[in-house]
Amino acid sequence: MWKQGVSAASDLCHRLGAADLSRFASGVGGSSSAARSVASSSSGHARWAPEELRAFSQAAFQAVGLPAGDAALVARCLVHADLRAQAGHGIQRLPIYCKRIRAGVVNATPQVRVERTSPSSALVDGDDGMGFVVATRATEEAILLAKEQGLGLAGVRRSTHFGCSAHYVLQALEADMLSLVFTNSSPALPPHGGAKASS
């Protein structure tokens, strides 16, 4: 873990530029101390403390309509991904997630529903909510099932990008359980020996 702060914040600052970052902060609920500290940095290697990034990200998500608890969860997961050196799933995704919420691609206030499909399995309907929120709920359900039956399986439908799968593995680990986490995505690579990308 990085003790000096999260370097992804520096990358975000470089890509957006100080003026763009200030506009982004203003567009999602005003400036924050975190935004001001990066915007005023001239070193080219700005770093934010993790707690500043969490606070800024949570405020941004709340400004586009996520409830406070969900906003805090997503912000925590993004910063945690950066702290685990998984920058592709970290704070750099904040602008695109906010854009998706504003565009209505992501439901900011989903009604997540859980249906028990067998004594040891459940199907979670995410109502197109933030994948972090839906996957966390699905993992909670799998943990409950495992406590009852010794094994718990939770499938998810109608969800969105859920970030770094390590979050859900660690969630189960904190409950003293082992877990396997899988997801799908749009076709990106051809299978071995194939000519076209497939999912």
Side-chain angles (χ1 to χ4, degrees), residues 48-171:
W48 290 351
E51 57 275 8
E52 288 181 319
L53 277 176
R54 281 190 288 270
F56 176 75
S57 300
Q58 180 176 346
F61 285 126
Q62 284 184 252
V64 295
L66 282 188
D70 292 351
L73 169 67
V74 179
R76 186 173 67 249
C77 288
L78 292 180
V79 174
H80 190 243
D82 276 317
L83 291 171
R84 292 179 61 81
Q86 297 293 320
H89 288 82
I91 197 71
Q92 72 177 357
R93 298 196 63 89
L94 176 64
I96 188 66
Y97 287 151
C98 288
K99 183 177 179 181
R100 288 176 179 175
I101 293 167
R102 282 186 162 159
V105 175
V106 175
N107 181 356
T109 55
Q111 300 300 310
V112 178
R113 293 183 299 279
V114 177
E115 174 191 354
R116 291 276 177 112
T117 54
S118 80
S120 61
S121 65
L123 180 60
V124 179
D125 185 320
D127 194 23
D128 298 319
M130 284 294 287
F132 300 89
V133 175
V134 179
T136 297
R137 178 66 187 92
T139 305
E140 288 171 356
E141 191 64 23
I143 290 168
L144 288 172
L145 289 165
K147 286 180 178 177
E148 295 170 9
Q149 302 294 329
L151 172 71
L153 304 171
V156 174
R157 67 178 173 198
R158 296 197 328 136
S159 184
T160 59
H161 192 265
F162 77 166
C164 186
S165 59
H167 303 306
Y168 317 106
V169 172
L170 292 171
Q171 184 182 347

